[in-house]
Amino acid sequence: MPTVAMKDACDLLDADHIAVKHLFVEYARLAMAAPAAVAERQPIAARICAELTVHAQIEEEIFYPALREAIASPGLLDRAEAEHQQAKELIAQIQAAKRATPALDDLVSELARAVELHVKEERDDLFPKARSTPGLDLEALGARLQERQQELQAAVRR
């Protein structure tokens, strides 16, 4: 995911959402316009999985616990974590695929829909709650998220 400098936690996470949306669009474009483009689709699917894995991990390690302490809406976070679990299951299936096939295309499409729903809920419900919570320092939280994200991305590249 792209590095976002001097952004609050919600902005950083939303930048990740936008970046992965572009990857989903590129994957779908290749799957529809050039179904034989197996060599091009597989690396995009792998990148989608890597980006989402890092994104989910920083949310689960840092963002969600901070919100659990600050907001009185644990149901929102419970739902977000359940959505992460669904995404992780799809990611595991995508990563198990050895090459791009129509079945992989279906899995990537299903993951795209699940992520789109998750992003909508975060943008519509969770981020506004976080932004309106007194005492929740979203800039400091964003710095922690960014630092951890960079650590995880470096580990993925190794």
Side-chain angles (χ1 to χ4, degrees):
M1 301 276 172
T3 302
V4 180
M6 304 306 288
K7 297 269 184 164
D8 77 20
C10 298
D11 290 337
L12 181 133
L13 294 171
D14 207 37
D16 285 357
H17 296 155
I18 293 165
V20 82
K21 173 71 173 177
H22 288 292
L23 292 172
F24 279 125
V25 168
E26 180 63 14
Y27 186 96
R29 185 189 66 75
L30 285 171
M32 293 175 64
V38 173
E40 291 87 4
R41 291 197 321 269
Q42 186 67 31
I44 294 171
R47 186 162 170 217
I48 288 167
C49 292
E51 301 274 346
L52 287 173
T53 299
V54 168
H55 177 83
Q57 189 168 342
I58 66 172
E59 282 187 330
E60 291 170 4
E61 286 180 5
I62 300 167
F63 189 63
Y64 293 168
L67 289 181
R68 274 200 192 279
E69 290 182 18
I71 66 173
S73 302
L76 288 175
L77 295 164
D78 293 343
R79 186 167 59 244
E81 289 172 343
E83 290 165 353
H84 277 202
Q85 186 56 42
Q86 176 191 13
K88 288 175 186 178
E89 291 167 7
L90 290 167
I91 287 168
Q93 292 175 48
I94 291 167
Q95 290 173 326
K98 300 301 179 211
R99 61 186 194 90
T101 63
L104 179 66
D105 296 345
D106 290 344
L107 286 170
V108 171
S109 180
E110 185 178 347
L111 180 60
R113 285 189 301 275
V115 167
E116 187 174 328
L117 173 65
H118 178 71
V119 167
K120 180 180 179 350
E121 290 177 354
E122 283 191 344
R123 284 181 179 161
D124 292 351
D125 300 325
L126 206 53
F127 291 170
K129 271 250 196 263
R131 285 193 165 107
S132 67
T133 300
L136 185 61
D137 186 348
L138 291 176
E139 284 77 23
L141 199 53
R144 288 180 52 214
L145 288 167
Q146 186 174 15
E147 181 181 328
R148 183 64 174 139
Q149 182 179 50
Q150 289 169 346
E151 290 171 4
L152 292 170
Q153 287 169 335
V156 167
R157 285 190 292 271
R158 279 187 230 125

